[in-house]
Structures are given as structure tokens and as C-alpha cells.
Amino acid sequence: MRLHLYLESPERVPFDYLPTLVGAFNRWAGHDARRHDGLSLYSLAWLRGGQAGRGGIHFREGASWFISAPDSDLIHQLVSGVVREPDLGLGLRVRDVRMQRAPEFTAGEQPFRVASPVFIKHLPPGAQLGAPADHLLPGHPLADELLTATLRRKLRQAGLDDTAAAVRFDPAHLATAKTKLFRYKQVQCRGSICPVLVSGSAEQIQFAWEVGVGDSTGIGCGALV
């Protein structure tokens, strides 16, 4: 399922707003050790509808945001949380919410655009303890392999079959793919804005639409549209 949130935003929003979105999600969802201890079986998009300017982003007509998850109970818990506490912080306030069921997918290969940068972390073999991970981009020899491995791990964590599920950057868009440098708290990250192709069963493709692709979907990376 997908929860669309429509936000009032009378103030300029700083560029590094992701921790505020994640904080709101965690308050609305409530504490659940299972959700925090494993891979994120949900995805958060970035805010849409803004215009970047000096010192931040202006959302003159309001902002839109969505959260996706295969767990319908989580989505309903989020709605209850929004009713209790519609203020996210940074002047953002929910004025409307709408729930969307997953589209009817068919088995095969499905193209998706991304609603937030795809982030892939890779620690080379033999790297020293504490060494920073590489952030892989479209065209890297390991990028598609790691995207696929992450989706399969999430499928297994959810108790679903991971056989033949795969993710790859759309080769037709590699030449025009853009990179995006962003910060989460004090960590600088580099992701990519590039369409992806998800292949597998209808259930596996729907799962990817809900949990996103790549690493750190729970802090705003790899959401799919």
C-alpha cells in the first residue's frame, strides 16, 4: 500500500530535511523493535512540489510526500498517527491523506521511475575496519548485482520467495542518469536519479514498488513510481 500525504509548508524548508521526515514516520508508526532491527520493509519518498532557492526549498502551493509498505497495518497505524500529530516539524503540517492500493502488476520486467535517489553502499573486500563504504552509481559493474541482492534479502525477511527476482538500472537511461549528493544528519551520501527495471513475479514486483530499491529506503532512498 501507499500513503500519500499533502502538506502545508508556509516556511522555507532546509535542504537537509530528511531526518524530519524520518522522525515523523517513527512517531506515527510507534516503536516496533522488529521494524528497527531488520532491513527496512518500507520506503519514504522525498518531498515534491518545491522550488529550490537560496537557503532552502519553497513549497508555495504545498508539498506532497508518500510512504509505501507491504504491511497494511503499518499504513493504517501511520494514518492514526497523522490524525494525532499532523505537524512534522520545519513548518510542515499534513492537511490531507490518501491511501493507494498497489497497481495490478504482471510477471516479467517492470520499468519504474524513482521518487528519491537510489543509494548503493559497498565495502570492498579487505577494507579496514571503519573504512567508509563506496557509493555506487549506474554503470558500476556491481551496481545491479547489489540492487538485486538487497531486494532478495528483503523478500526473504518478509517470508516471500526470492527466486528470480532482480533489479537493474535501465540501460536506456545510463547515459542521462544524474547523481545526487545529499546529507543525512552528518553523513554525506551520493545516490542516483535513474529509472530501474524490476523483474520477477507479480508479487515480487509489487513488493519492490512498496519497499523501494537499494539501501536506506527507510531514510528516504530508492522509492519507486
Side-chain angles (χ1 to χ4, degrees), residues 13 17 27 38 79 96 132 146 159 172 183 213 224:
V13 176
Y17 61 75
R27 292 194 304 274
V79 172
D96 192 17
L146 294 177
R183 184 175 66 179
V213 297
L224 301 181

Side-chain angles (χ1 to χ4, degrees), residues 45-181:
W46 283 19
L47 297 177
R48 302 179 73 176
Q51 183 173 6
R54 180 174 296 178
I57 308 170
H58 294 273
F59 296 92
R60 293 181 174 84
E61 297 182 6
S64 63
W65 179 38
F66 69 78
I67 302 168
S68 303
D71 183 354
S72 60
D73 289 341
L74 172 58
I75 296 296
H76 286 96
Q77 179 71 19
L78 291 170
V79 172
S80 297
V82 169
V83 172
R84 291 194 309 269
E85 187 180 356
D87 291 307
L88 285 75
L90 302 179
L92 296 164
R93 180 181 176 85
V94 180
R95 59 176 173 80
D96 192 17
V97 298
R98 298 177 188 175
M99 288 189 288
Q100 176 191 2
R101 293 194 178 277
E104 292 284 339
F105 295 110
T106 57
E109 188 169 62
Q110 175 72 38
F112 290 104
R113 292 176 292 113
V114 297
S116 53
V118 178
F119 184 49
I120 307 172
K121 295 183 293 185
H122 174 60
L123 196 62
Q128 295 182 350
L129 184 65
D134 294 331
H135 299 171
L136 306 189
L137 301 174
H140 190 283
L142 293 177
D144 295 346
E145 177 183 333
L146 294 177
L147 287 176
T148 294
T150 299
L151 176 61
R152 290 183 177 180
R153 285 198 303 272
K154 290 189 174 187
L155 284 162
R156 292 193 297 271
Q157 180 171 307
L160 300 175
D161 180 22
D162 71 330
T163 305
V167 187
R168 62 189 179 115
F169 286 112
D170 190 335
H173 294 273
L174 291 183
T176 56
K178 297 180 180 179
T179 64
K180 180 71 175 179
L181 187 65

Side-chain angles (χ1 to χ4, degrees), residues 161-212:
D161 180 22
D162 71 330
T163 305
V167 187
R168 62 189 179 115
F169 286 112
D170 190 335
H173 294 273
L174 291 183
T176 56
K178 297 180 180 179
T179 64
K180 180 71 175 179
L181 187 65
F182 61 97
R183 184 175 66 179
Y184 185 79
K185 297 183 178 179
Q186 301 305 314
V187 180
Q188 291 282 358
C189 307
R190 186 174 294 277
S192 53
I193 308 297
C194 181
V196 299
L197 300 172
V198 179
S199 58
S201 67
E203 182 182 44
Q204 291 168 338
I205 293 171
Q206 176 181 324
F207 184 82
W209 181 83
E210 291 168 323
V211 305

